[in-house]
Every structure is written in structure tokens, then in C-alpha cells.
Amino acid sequence: MRNFRAILLKEFRQVIYDYKTLIFILIMPIVLVLLFGYTIKNEINNADIAILDNSQSSLSRRIIQDFAVSDYFSIVANLHDAKEIEKTFQSKDIRMLVVFPSDFESSYTHGFSPNIQLILDASDLNVAATVKSYATEIINRAFANQQNITTANHINIKVKMQYNPHLESAYMFIPGNIALIMIIVTSLMTSITLSKERELGTWRMLAITPSNQLVLVIGKIIPYMCISLVCTAIIIVLGILIFHMPMYGSIALLVLLCFLFMLTACSLGILISVLVNTQQVAMLVCMLGFFLPTLLLSGFLFPIENMPMVLQIFSNIIPAKWFIIALRDIMIKGAGLELLWLPVTIMVGLTIVLISLSVWKLSRKNV
Amino acid sequence: MDENSIVVTDLTKKFKHFTAVDKVSFSVKKGEIFGFLGANGAGKTTTIRMLCGLLLPTSGSAKIVGYDVINQSKEIKKHIGYMSQKFSLYEDLTVMENMELFGTIYGMEKKKLHQKMLSIIARLQMRDYAKTRVSNLPLGRKQKLMFATAILHDPDVVFLDEPTSGVDPIVRRDFWNMIYETAERGVSILVTTHYMDEAEYCNRLCIMENGQIKIIGNPSELKSQTGSENMNEVFQKIINR
């Protein structure tokens, strides 16, 4: 136990002495969140939209007026024919087209639920989802302000996702960022710190001591676990405060889940450090082998459903995929453990496989 | 426990088709300085690694202070010190922090460790450097610090793998004085070297080639056996035989 404390103290000292790296690591999540957050958010201000008003009624004009005064949208075209739709999407680069059918007002005055169709450019998922939710909000509010509203007169908003029928949540980027940061801080730092010791020969000095190697490894990586938990906390707080990420689930469960993913990320880092001999190679493998798949194949930036079958199957062994699913379920749906058993089981399974591989490989390796 | 700290019998290590160490036998007495001479790749480092319990021998046996390297490596590790040819202390930690780390890992009691550290720093004349980061030390001081760290926990046997490579003659002289002081306390020292003048400092030594021990004895024995003037000549005659 004393040698565990000794190695822990040593590693903390090294982290603090290398304070420039530490500051960089702590700033990174802030930059990432703001970068992802605002690149998505900014586009929703004054999104270009077009209107196709077939009813030419006072009710439709009132709704169009609401769209026009809103900060979120600016109307750049008024269409007169459905044939113009495709052309407008192509030439004006609009985000959304609002279509009022010719019977829009009459069905409303006759007590039926009137239809509105929203056609969205969903080539950018996150923008499309946000545009849709803002438009829905404006239309619903316009109807709520109508005095003669009755329960029967609900509006039917028909949404058509142009170009990309599947839609993922706009809250993808907070869980995605946490996964990225965990991979960078935990996997990358773990593999670098371990392969650095091997490269410099200091690991042999430790291996020659009577201490258990596993105890030394654990002592070494705990500081990085702490840093990555701090980073995760930063992202979650920023996500909730600035980007209004909902938090419906249990915080304890959230912390547990982050802890689990951190173990998975750690075991990835340990495995890499066992397989390679130098820091540079470890860094390369982490970037190409973990960072890119986490970015591209976890469902963080691109929906998995739209990938080729091979990549869809492959995405199942990307731990970040399951972490993101579970994290979203907790934060947005308020899911409990009964809904999370699948992602959690897979993450636990992956961690066990990775650790066993490392231990097996380490036992065959000469120090 | 008998007088021999190290007893090696027919120790062999094969890597696939390559025999790195071939039936090596020797013993080292308590307080003896035993030299290992040989070109690079002669099998010196592999032998040391087996004796330290870092590498399992293919066949043969070796005992360090009575413990078997094959199944008592954990016990052995408590009784040995090791210094590699590559500088391997933590450059970003201070002199004191490095010693504290290794002393604690070896399970030394805090008070005793602290006294030991202070006496080492006094011996090395490094009072002004105690809180200096190791990376800022000159190479000679680094080597001496590394040796001091290797014997911090009072081991019975110390393995020195080319400890003086790359340091100037004055530091080497100083370094050997430290080795003598340590041996006088009854610590057995096994040292590998390239430098033939250093071979003269050993109580006994052996010359290794292609994993085998070619000749073993004290320096004057080796010289008279081969009819040589100095160790360099001995080495040339043995290797070219």
C-alpha cells in the first residue's frame, strides 16, 4: 500500500510539474464544447426559409408574419408553385420550406385540424432538428393565441426531412465531447505515460523493485483518471449552463457511467502502451485508432444508421457509441439502469476484454 | 547462508534460435566485486536480467543470497539493487523526490529513509542539489545519484550494467571509490564494463563471448594465464583465440 501511495505521489508531482500540459488539458474541453456548441447554435439565427402559401388566407398570413418577425428565421422567398421547391432548395440554399395547403383556413374554421408541412434540408442534422423545433414552437404559439381555439382544432404539423430522413438528437455533441475528451485525456495520457516510462528505462527500475506491477500501473493512471473526471464535469456544467442540455436522470448514475467509460478508455490506453514501445507510436495509435473512430463512428457527428453495413457492425465495438447512447438516455430521457443495461453491459464487457488482453500480453513481454 | 551471494550453475537463455547465454557458471562471494567483460551482445545484460528476476532462464539455475531466480524472484528483488546502462531516474523530479520514491517502494521506514537520504547527499557532496531537478544535474552527478539510489535500501547484491559509460575519467575514479566503499560493507557487486582499466579494479572477473564464459579469475591470474601485460591484451587474446 505504501508503494502504491509512493507511485501515486510521484505521478501527481510529475503532472503538476508539467503544469503547461495540465492547463492545456483542462482548457481543451472548454474549447471543444464552445466550438461544437456555437458552430451548431450560430446557424440557427436568421436561418433562411421559404414559404409556399397555397391558401392565401388571413390565418396563414398571420403565421407567416410570426416567422418574419422571429429572430430565428428570415424569409428569403415566397413560392407560388410546388414545382419551384427543389429549385429553391438548390439555388437559395434555404433551411426550410413552410407549405400551407389551399384548404388551410377553411379546414380550421370548419373545426378540423389544419395541416402545415415543413420541408427541411436535413443534410445537416443538428441544424434541421433545431430549425424544426423552432418552427413548431412558432406555429403552436400562433394557434394558442387564437381566441376561438377548441380542443378539436389541433394543428397537424407534417414534417418532411429532405435529403436525410433519419434524424439524430441535437444534443449529440455534449455526450460526444465527453467521449472525445475521455479518449484524449484517459487513453492518450495513459498510454503516453506508460510507454514513456518504458522508453526512458524507468519502468525497468520499477520492475526490479518488489512491488506488484499492476499496483504500479494503477497508481500511475489514477491522476489521469482524476483529470478526465474534472474535464467531464466541465463539459457537463458548460452543456447545462450555456447550451441548456437537459438533465433529467440521476446524477449519481451519470457519474457512475462516466467512471465506467473512463475505465474503458484507461484499458484502451494500457493495451496500447503494452503493444508499442515509444511515446510517439502510442500517440499515433491513439489518434488513428481511438480518436478518429470515436469522432466518426460513434454516432457523434454522423448517424450510424446512414453508414454502410460494415461500418454499422464495426461501430458496435466502439465504446464511445454505447457511452453516448447511455449518456443521452440519462440526461435527456432520464433513464434508469433498467434502460441502460445493454450499453452498460457492452462497456463492461469491452473493458474486461481489453484488460485481459493487456495482462496476457504483459505476462509475455520482457521488461 | 553460505559465503557466496551469487551462485550460478549452467544458466542458459535461448531466444527462439539464438542462444544469448550458454551454460554460464560462476559464483560471487559476499563483499566481492565481480566484473563481466565482453563485447556488446556477448550476453552480459541478458545474464544480469535473469539474475534480477526480470527474465526467466531457459535452463540452469541461479541463486541470489540463497533464493532461486526461477521461483523466488519476489524475494530476490528485496535483496538486490540494480543500475542500468541507461540513465533511468525521473528527470522531472528532484534528487530528494527520486530517492524518496524508490526508498518508499522498497518499503523503507520513513525516518530511516530520510536519514539515509541525508547521509547520501552528504557523501555525494550534493547538499546544494537536493532540491534540484535531476534533469539539471551534470552527467557525472546523475550516475553517482543513480548508484546511490540503487543501494539506498541496503541490498546484499548490486548489479551494475555498464555504470560508467560516457562519463569522464575523474568521475569514473570517484564512482569506483563508491563501489569499493559499498563492497567493504559486505555487499556483493556484479559490474559489466567495456573499459579495460576498470577490469583491473575488480576482485575477480570473467570474459564473455557469444554467451559463454571464456575465462574466469582475478586480474593477475588472467594476465599470467595468457602471458599478457595488461587487461586489454588479455581481452584481445581471449577474443581472438
Side-chain angles (χ1 to χ4, degrees):
Chain A
M1 205 53 212
R2 281 190 63 215
N3 54 26
F4 176 74
R5 276 218 307 270
I7 197 92
L8 191 65
L9 176 67
K10 169 229 139 198
E11 201 65 31
F12 266 118
R13 272 179 178 154
Q14 286 185 311
V15 168
I16 289 165
Y17 290 164
D18 190 11
Y19 64 94
K20 285 177 193 157
T21 309
L22 183 64
I23 291 172
F24 175 74
I25 291 174
L26 290 177
I27 288 177
M28 194 164 49
I30 302 176
V31 173
L32 262 187
V33 168
L34 295 182
L35 215 61
F36 277 102
Y38 279 115
T39 45
I40 293 168
K41 230 178 133 80
N42 277 341
E43 292 187 73
I44 304 161
N45 287 338
N46 288 316
D48 289 346
I49 60 169
I51 308 286
L52 173 56
D53 187 0
N54 291 323
S55 75
Q56 295 292 342
S57 57
S58 61
L59 185 58
S60 66
R61 274 193 289 272
R62 190 172 302 130
I63 292 173
I64 293 168
Q65 187 61 31
D66 286 345
F67 271 104
V69 298
S70 140
D71 287 338
Y72 304 125
F73 302 107
S74 62
I75 301 171
V76 293
N78 276 301
L79 311 189
H80 304 287
D81 195 326
K83 286 182 190 125
E84 295 172 76
I85 293 175
E86 182 65 29
K87 202 182 76 202
T88 314
F89 265 106
Q90 301 286 350
S91 62
K92 300 263 189 198
D93 197 25
I94 54 167
R95 293 279 174 208
M96 177 177 66
L97 175 73
V98 184
V99 183
F100 297 91
S102 48
D103 62 348
F104 182 64
E105 195 176 42
S106 60
S107 68
Y108 180 71
T109 48
H110 287 94
F112 296 110
S113 300
N115 290 319
I116 291 184
Q117 188 183 30
L118 305 178
I119 302 177
L120 288 129
D121 172 3
S123 56
D124 188 327
L125 293 175
N126 293 314
V127 174
T130 319
V131 165
K132 181 200 128 193
S133 67
Y134 284 13
T136 312
E137 182 71 23
I138 286 175
I139 295 164
N140 282 336
R141 208 178 291 157
F143 273 82
N145 290 340
Q146 291 289 320
Q147 268 135 29
N148 54 346
I149 191 153
T150 64
T151 42
N153 295 48
H154 271 309
I155 186 145
N156 286 328
I157 302 170
K158 300 261 166 72
V159 179
K160 181 185 169 203
M161 287 297 172
Q162 191 100 321
Y163 306 124
N164 186 350
H166 298 286
L167 194 71
E168 287 286 308
S169 164
Y171 291 120
M172 231 28 199
F173 78 96
I174 291 291
N177 274 340
I178 296 175
L180 267 190
I181 287 290
M182 288 265 201
I183 289 289
I184 294 174
V185 177
T186 322
S187 302
L188 189 66
M189 296 308 278
T190 301
S191 64
I192 284 180
T193 183
L194 289 173
S195 46
K196 182 176 164 192
E197 296 242 6
R198 186 167 292 126
E199 197 178 331
L200 296 180
T202 45
W203 192 252
R204 188 176 291 173
M205 296 299 288
L206 293 176
I208 212 107
T209 69
S211 343
N212 186 329
Q213 284 205 40
L214 200 63
V215 170
L216 297 180
V217 169
I218 294 171
K220 266 192 75 64
I221 59 183
I222 282 181
Y224 301 98
M225 293 184 163
C226 296
I227 296 174
S228 77
L229 283 183
V230 170
C231 289
T232 306
I234 291 176
I235 298 175
I236 292 178
V237 169
L238 284 180
I240 292 174
L241 290 185
I242 300 184
F243 299 107
H244 311 294
M245 175 92 185
M247 179 60 213
Y248 294 123
S250 127
I251 290 179
L253 202 57
L254 183 82
V255 171
L256 269 179
L257 186 74
C258 290
F259 201 78
L260 174 60
F261 185 67
M262 190 179 62
L263 288 183
T264 318
C266 258
S267 52
L268 276 172
I270 294 173
L271 182 63
I272 287 308
S273 73
V274 170
L275 294 176
V276 308
N277 285 320
T278 65
Q279 298 174 69
Q280 269 83 0
V281 181
M283 208 182 304
L284 263 179
V285 172
C286 275
M287 278 305 179
L288 294 176
F290 304 152
F291 185 78
L292 284 183
T294 301
L295 198 63
L296 301 177
L297 296 178
S298 66
F300 167 30
L301 287 184
F302 306 109
I304 292 167
E305 294 90 339
N306 294 355
M307 292 174 191
M309 204 47 171
V310 182
L311 287 184
Q312 284 195 33
I313 294 168
F314 184 69
S315 75
N316 287 326
I317 60 161
I318 308 276
K321 170 186 169 172
W322 302 103
F323 176 65
I324 290 174
I325 290 174
L327 202 62
R328 254 190 318 153
D329 283 353
I330 292 180
M331 293 187 80
I332 299 170
K333 296 186 195 157
L337 212 49
E338 70 283 352
L339 280 174
L340 298 175
W341 66 270
L342 180 67
V344 166
T345 312
I346 291 174
M347 282 161 69
V348 169
L350 281 171
T351 310
I352 291 172
V353 168
L354 290 167
I355 291 280
S356 321
L357 267 176
S358 305
V359 169
W360 174 72
K361 196 72 198 165
L362 197 67
S363 66
R364 293 161 49 102
K365 191 170 179 116
N366 299 323
V367 184
Chain B
M1 196 170 38
D2 55 15
E3 220 201 328
N4 284 330
S5 300
I6 306 177
V7 181
V8 178
T9 322
D10 291 337
L11 196 68
T12 302
K13 180 69 195 182
K14 288 182 181 163
F15 296 110
K16 285 186 182 150
H17 304 296
F18 168 67
T19 307
V21 177
D22 191 6
K23 291 196 174 167
V24 162
S25 302
F26 63 92
S27 58
V28 180
K29 292 190 194 69
K30 198 168 185 291
E32 191 176 30
I33 301 173
F34 188 86
F36 250 61
L37 262 71
N40 286 331
K44 295 171 295 180
T45 302
T46 309
T47 307
I48 287 193
R49 281 166 68 181
M50 284 191 281
L51 298 182
C52 292
L54 288 178
L55 202 61
L56 222 51
T58 313
S59 65
S61 72
K63 284 201 159 133
I64 312 287
V65 289
Y67 298 109
D68 195 295
V69 290
I70 294 168
N71 46 36
Q72 291 176 299
S73 66
K74 189 126 193 169
E75 279 304 314
I76 286 175
K77 284 176 175 178
K78 289 180 193 162
H79 295 275
I80 59 167
Y82 170 80
M83 175 177 169
S84 78
Q85 50 195 329
K86 198 166 149 188
F87 182 75
S88 37
L89 291 177
Y90 293 96
E91 302 254 3
D92 48 352
L93 297 182
T94 68
V95 170
M96 293 288 259
E97 285 167 349
N98 264 293
M99 285 196 280
E100 192 189 333
L101 168 69
F102 284 102
T104 315
I105 285 184
Y106 274 106
M108 287 178 77
E109 194 203 332
K110 207 169 183 175
K111 215 168 162 185
K112 197 184 155 203
L113 172 64
H114 217 76
Q115 280 170 358
K116 195 77 198 271
M117 277 161 52
L118 291 178
S119 75
I120 285 173
I121 282 170
R123 165 65 186 84
L124 297 179
Q125 296 167 335
M126 279 177 37
R127 278 207 189 87
D128 299 340
Y129 291 101
K131 292 198 166 112
T132 307
R133 296 225 178 137
V134 168
S135 55
N136 296 330
L137 292 179
L139 184 64
R141 286 195 189 276
K142 281 186 183 175
Q143 299 289 93
K144 284 191 248 174
L145 175 66
M146 215 169 136
F147 179 67
T149 310
I151 58 168
L152 188 65
H153 56 289
D154 289 325
D156 296 308
V157 177
V158 180
F159 296 96
L160 305 174
D161 196 357
E162 288 174 23
T164 53
S165 53
V167 298
D168 62 67
I170 299 161
V171 173
R172 266 167 62 196
R173 188 67 241 183
D174 217 18
F175 195 89
W176 273 89
N177 283 335
M178 286 176 70
I179 294 180
Y180 276 118
E181 281 168 31
T182 311
E184 270 162 27
R185 294 203 303 264
V187 179
S188 304
I189 292 171
L190 198 155
V191 53
T192 73
T193 182
H194 282 311
Y195 298 107
M196 291 308 145
D197 58 327
E198 286 190 347
E200 305 264 9
Y201 304 152
C202 300
N203 300 131
R204 273 195 315 137
L205 58 114
C206 68
I207 295 179
M208 274 191 95
E209 194 193 11
N210 297 331
Q212 290 172 330
I213 290 183
K214 294 295 181 188
I215 193 166
I216 190 163
N218 65 42
S220 50
E221 274 171 12
L222 297 195
K223 276 184 275 191
S224 63
Q225 266 182 42
T226 53
S228 315
E229 297 265 302
N230 54 37
M231 283 313 296
N232 203 13
E233 224 180 301
V234 173
F235 188 73
Q236 294 302 332
K237 282 184 180 165
I238 296 293
I239 297 300
N240 294 330
R241 200 159 58 188

